Amino acid sequence: MENIKIAIAGIGNCASSLIQGLDYYRDKTETDAIGLMHWTIGGYEPSDIEVVAAFDIDKRKVGKDISEAIFAEPNCTAVFCPDIPEKGIKVTMGSILDGVSGHMTDYEDKYKFIISDESESTKEDIVQVLKDSGAEMLLNFMPVGSEKAACFYADCALEAGVGFINNMPVFIASNPEWAKKFEEKNLPIIGDDIKAQLGATITHRTLADLFSKRGVKLEKTYQLNTGGNTDFLNMLNRSRLSSKKTSKTEAVQSVLKDRLDDENIHVGPSDYVPWQKDNKICFLRMEGKLFGDVPMNIELRLSVEDSPNSAGVVIDAIRCCKLALERDTGGILYSPASYFMKHPPKQYNDDEAFLMTNDFIEGNRDN
């Protein structure tokens, strides 16, 4: 079997964890591999994924081999596979658009993006790189709030004739107009906003579902998150948070028996703590009533390395996208999206989404 050829837009912490993982699992077997939901999908193991093109705008990454670029500042995620051989794939200068928030200029270089001196790539440039590289799909890892940049790369994928996996909270797959474009070109799309392997959102959803199944009335809840990576720095600009808050809030609301009023649910990033680096800390509180209207509450603190927490899910999304390409299935992949993403076009509870995704993998569902 030939490798699955992918292109990545945004060589930040999430891309670093993903690329590290492709080499980390190369010498593993199914019995000793930890941290994967599926060892094989359609016969493809994690190490069967190959990065053939990469785009970024930071001068510490542009022009560098991806094996070097993934460890360049401002990346700060855990290094669990330090000895990555040179891949022969250099990072291409991308298009900036709204990918860099102005407030970052107030911070030290090690925390922020530094724009490369190279000329920005046009849409035609990006499309040509995708075609020349043989990429089968493009992964979007733009910073939160980069709506123009996300749409730009989605358009590049359409023009180049490749699949698209939207890992960030700009609504592409869940936007009917964009979804129709991918359907018309018979190109698979999975989105939007990657749901971590065991993160704040999946934990919150699981507990909310538990309340419902055990007859507990949930009345109020919050989810507060802090972190020290560029995503959290970027989100200090509250104007870039609208889609992120919508994505995370709807992921929780969608599994509730009765939707909460807006004033009784708060889900979203809370603050930037530089020394946390890529570690994300979630503070979760849920208040409800038991039998006899007796009140109860639960508080939880979750600490996870943010980017590796997403990489294992992305590896599955890549392989599901490949299955769709092999089956000549275009448009929204509803089953994988419902299990892998916070804001899929159709929300299902996680038990149902898990079964649907496995059915898709086995070929018992079309999408």
Side-chain angles (χ1 to χ4, degrees):
M1 297 172 66
E2 293 186 355
N3 284 348
I4 304 172
K5 295 178 172 59
I6 68 170
I8 302 176
I11 309 301
N13 286 308
C14 289
S16 176
S17 292
L18 173 62
I19 293 170
Q20 287 186 67
L22 302 184
D23 269 68
Y24 179 80
Y25 287 102
R26 195 174 303 281
D27 298 325
K28 304 290 184 184
T29 64
E30 184 172 5
T31 55
D32 64 3
I34 295 173
L36 292 169
M37 295 186 292
H38 298 88
W39 173 246
T40 62
I41 291 180
Y44 294 99
E45 298 178 2
S47 58
D48 294 322
I49 299 168
E50 177 186 1
V51 182
V52 296
F55 307 96
D56 204 278
I57 55 84
D58 194 292
K59 73 176 186 179
R60 293 160 292 189
K61 299 173 185 177
V62 173
K64 302 287 179 62
D65 190 272
I66 56 170
S67 61
E68 179 182 356
I70 60 172
F71 298 122
E73 291 180 342
N75 289 7
C76 59
T77 192
V79 176
F80 57 87
C81 187
D83 301 319
I84 296 181
E86 190 168 307
K87 303 295 184 181
I89 303 298
K90 295 190 181 300
V91 178
T92 299
M93 178 64 180
S95 185
I96 300 169
L97 298 168
D98 55 354
V100 180
S101 180
H103 78 283
M104 282 191 170
T105 58
D106 299 331
Y107 292 82
E108 294 179 51
D109 289 354
K110 64 181 179 180
Y111 299 128
K112 66 184 181 183
F113 304 131
I114 303 176
I115 298 174
S116 172
D117 296 328
E118 289 198 21
S119 298
E120 293 182 61
S121 291
T122 63
K123 175 183 172 182
E124 291 72 23
D125 294 332
I126 301 291
V127 170
Q128 195 61 52
V129 171
L130 291 172
K131 289 182 175 180
D132 291 345
S133 69
E136 300 170 90
M137 64 194 74
L138 174 62
L139 279 62
N140 178 31
F141 280 121
M142 289 295 103
V144 171
S146 306
E147 184 161 351
K148 292 178 181 178
C151 292
F152 171 82
Y153 283 106
D155 205 26
C156 289
L158 285 166
E159 188 69 25
V162 301
F164 192 65
I165 300 176
N166 184 35
N167 297 301
M168 51 87 68
V170 166
F171 304 143
I172 305 293
S174 50
N175 179 317
E177 292 182 13
W178 277 108
K180 185 178 180 181
K181 291 179 181 180
F182 280 89
E183 184 178 355
E184 288 174 345
K185 290 224 171 184
N186 199 37
L187 295 170
I189 178 170
I190 301 175
D192 300 304
D193 195 10
I194 197 73
K195 190 190 298 177
Q197 187 172 10
L198 208 161
T201 298
I202 189 68
T203 301
H204 206 161
R205 281 170 60 94
T206 300
L207 287 172
D209 185 52
L210 180 66
F211 270 53
S212 177
K213 288 176 177 175
R214 303 299 292 181
V216 181
K217 180 176 174 56
L218 180 64
E219 296 188 322
K220 296 177 182 177
T221 185
Y222 65 63
Q223 180 197 127
L224 309 177
N225 301 302
T226 65
N229 57 29
T230 47
D231 223 19
F232 276 89
L233 173 57
N234 186 54
M235 290 186 289
L236 286 180
N237 182 347
R238 298 296 178 181
S239 66
R240 300 174 69 91
L241 274 182
S242 176
S243 60
K244 183 68 173 177
K245 283 185 64 64
T246 298
S247 175
K248 289 176 71 66
T249 302
E250 283 304 308
V252 177
Q253 288 273 37
S254 67
V255 297
L256 299 180
K257 182 179 179 181
D258 299 306
R259 289 180 65 90
L260 294 174
D261 293 337
D262 290 345
E263 66 182 23
N264 292 327
I265 180 169
H266 178 89
V267 183
S270 302
D271 214 342
Y272 170 65
V273 183
W275 61 260
Q276 279 185 228
K277 296 187 177 179
D278 196 41
N279 180 249
K280 176 179 179 179
I281 297 177
C282 162
F283 300 93
L284 181 65
R285 181 177 175 88
M286 304 174 75
E287 298 182 4
K289 287 183 178 176
L290 300 162
F291 185 80
D293 281 347
V294 176
M296 59 77 63
N297 68 75
I298 182 172
E299 290 193 345
L300 177 148
R301 179 186 182 276
L302 173 68
S303 175
V304 291
E305 195 76 3
D306 206 19
S307 300
N309 206 11
S310 73
V313 181
V314 175
I315 281 178
D316 278 16
I318 290 168
R319 294 181 289 178
C320 284
C321 189
K322 174 64 173 178
L323 291 186
L325 290 167
E326 290 180 338
R327 297 169 183 170
D328 198 29
T329 299
I332 299 166
L333 302 186
Y334 289 99
S335 302
S338 68
Y339 193 52
F340 301 145
M341 299 290 168
K342 295 186 185 78
H343 196 272
K346 292 182 181 179
Q347 289 275 12
Y348 297 90
N349 69 53
D350 293 294
D351 290 337
E352 189 173 2
F354 172 75
L355 295 174
M356 288 168 57
T357 300
N358 282 341
D359 281 345
F360 171 81
I361 291 170
E362 296 299 323
N364 298 323
R365 291 182 65 93
D366 292 333
N367 58 33

